[in-house]
Amino acid sequence: HRPDGTFAQSAMLGFNNLAVIYKKEQAFDKALHNFRFALALHPNYFQALVSMAGLIEDINQSLAYLGRAYRIQSENPIWDMIIQNMAQAYQQPPQTVYDKIYAEAEKADLEKPLFNKDVLKRIKFL
């Protein structure tokens, strides 16, 4: 947090790490909020996109996050595991899940922010 009230890019890592801790503690609402903060600072942060997708119950929202992540790092070897997990979670064939992620990747606009940075104004420090 800078003196002018803005956040340094390194704050993104802090929000993401805090979200991971909340996720492990099964405090999913807090995890989602912190992933949103990280993505408000860096909308193309691969790890936060994939993690958000894993927490959201709505398959279409999950696929939108995964599509953006796929557009960013389509060569990442983690995709096989992500697709298998999504297929199992949503009871769909892996090829169907892949096709949907690919379709979302095709229309993902990496220049468009996912969240307005005003979401960061809601952060309260203890």
Side-chain angles (χ1 to χ4, degrees), residues 63 83 92-102:
L63 291 169
I83 290 167
Q92 295 190 10
Q95 185 64 49
T96 301
V97 172
Y98 171 77
D99 291 343
K100 289 179 179 182
I101 290 171
Y102 187 81

Side-chain angles (χ1 to χ4, degrees), residues 13-56:
L13 293 174
F15 289 127
N16 189 74
N17 291 341
L18 188 56
V20 170
I21 291 167
Y22 282 132
K23 184 177 175 183
K24 286 181 182 180
E25 292 178 351
Q26 297 185 357
F28 300 123
D29 285 343
K30 290 180 180 180
L32 282 170
H33 285 298
N34 280 279
F35 283 130
R36 282 186 190 107
F37 296 151
L39 290 169
L41 291 171
H42 187 341
N44 296 326
Y45 184 42
F46 180 81
Q47 289 82 0
L49 289 165
V50 170
S51 295
M52 275 287 276
L55 287 176
I56 296 172

Side-chain angles (χ1 to χ4, degrees), residues 2-124:
R2 296 180 184 139
D4 67 358
T6 63
F7 289 89
Q9 278 300 103
S10 60
M12 174 217 31
L13 293 174
F15 289 127
N16 189 74
N17 291 341
L18 188 56
V20 170
I21 291 167
Y22 282 132
K23 184 177 175 183
K24 286 181 182 180
E25 292 178 351
Q26 297 185 357
F28 300 123
D29 285 343
K30 290 180 180 180
L32 282 170
H33 285 298
N34 280 279
F35 283 130
R36 282 186 190 107
F37 296 151
L39 290 169
L41 291 171
H42 187 341
N44 296 326
Y45 184 42
F46 180 81
Q47 289 82 0
L49 289 165
V50 170
S51 295
M52 275 287 276
L55 287 176
I56 296 172
E57 293 181 21
D58 181 287
I59 188 170
N60 294 320
Q61 272 191 307
S62 290
L63 291 169
Y65 285 111
L66 290 175
R68 189 175 184 112
Y70 189 82
R71 180 109 184 240
I72 295 163
Q73 289 189 27
S74 63
E75 300 299 318
N76 193 315
I78 198 170
W79 283 110
D80 287 338
M81 184 179 73
I82 291 170
I83 290 167
Q84 290 299 323
N85 289 344
M86 291 291 289
Q88 184 177 9
Y90 294 106
Q91 301 177 357
Q92 295 190 10
Q95 185 64 49
T96 301
V97 172
Y98 171 77
D99 291 343
K100 289 179 179 182
I101 290 171
Y102 187 81
E104 289 294 329
E106 293 262 298
K107 60 185 179 182
D109 180 358
L110 299 183
E111 299 297 319
K112 182 180 177 187
L114 290 172
F115 300 100
N116 188 315
K117 288 191 179 189
D118 286 346
V119 72
L120 298 168
K121 292 178 182 176
R122 290 189 265 152
I123 297 172
K124 296 194 177 19

